[in-house]
Amino acid sequence: DKTIRLVLIGSKFQIALDKARPDDMTFTHEGNTVLIFDKKISIRLEGHRLDVEGVDDSQQLVLSKQQ
């Protein structure tokens, strides 16, 4: 019942496990909520792209600035 939450600690984005709150932005994949973050994070992410990239047999979240 917990999902990956994107949080801002200092000036760095990190992830934590948490439950969605009423004002959160939520993202789903195949019917499951896979990522949540609050409006403050949403504003900080403006102009950025969040992707999942494969590295060998694993995947990682990659945040990049859109051009």
Side-chain angles (χ1 to χ4, degrees), residues 1-9 13-21 24 33-37 61:
D1 62 336
K2 292 192 177 185
T3 301
I4 295 173
R5 175 177 293 278
L6 191 60
V7 295
L8 188 61
I9 298 178
F13 289 103
Q14 296 188 15
I15 58 172
L17 291 178
D18 200 0
K19 292 183 180 183
R21 299 177 189 127
D24 282 340
T33 302
V34 295
L35 179 67
I36 54 178
F37 51 83
L61 288 173

Side-chain angles (χ1 to χ4, degrees), residues 11-42:
S11 62
K12 295 187 178 200
F13 289 103
Q14 296 188 15
I15 58 172
L17 291 178
D18 200 0
K19 292 183 180 183
R21 299 177 189 127
D23 290 338
D24 282 340
M25 296 195 68
T26 61
F27 298 86
T28 60
H29 177 70
E30 297 180 358
N32 296 308
T33 302
V34 295
L35 179 67
I36 54 178
F37 51 83
D38 63 24
K39 289 181 182 181
K40 180 173 71 172
I41 297 293
S42 175

Side-chain angles (χ1 to χ4, degrees), residues 7 20-21 23 40 42 46 57-58 60-62 65 67:
V7 295
R21 299 177 189 127
D23 290 338
K40 180 173 71 172
S42 175
E46 190 171 325
D57 290 335
S58 65
Q60 62 183 9
L61 288 173
V62 176
K65 190 163 186 149
Q67 298 177 355

Side-chain angles (χ1 to χ4, degrees), residues 45-49 51 63-67:
L45 289 176
E46 190 171 325
H48 290 79
R49 180 181 177 130
D51 284 314
L63 180 65
S64 58
K65 190 163 186 149
Q66 291 182 321
Q67 298 177 355

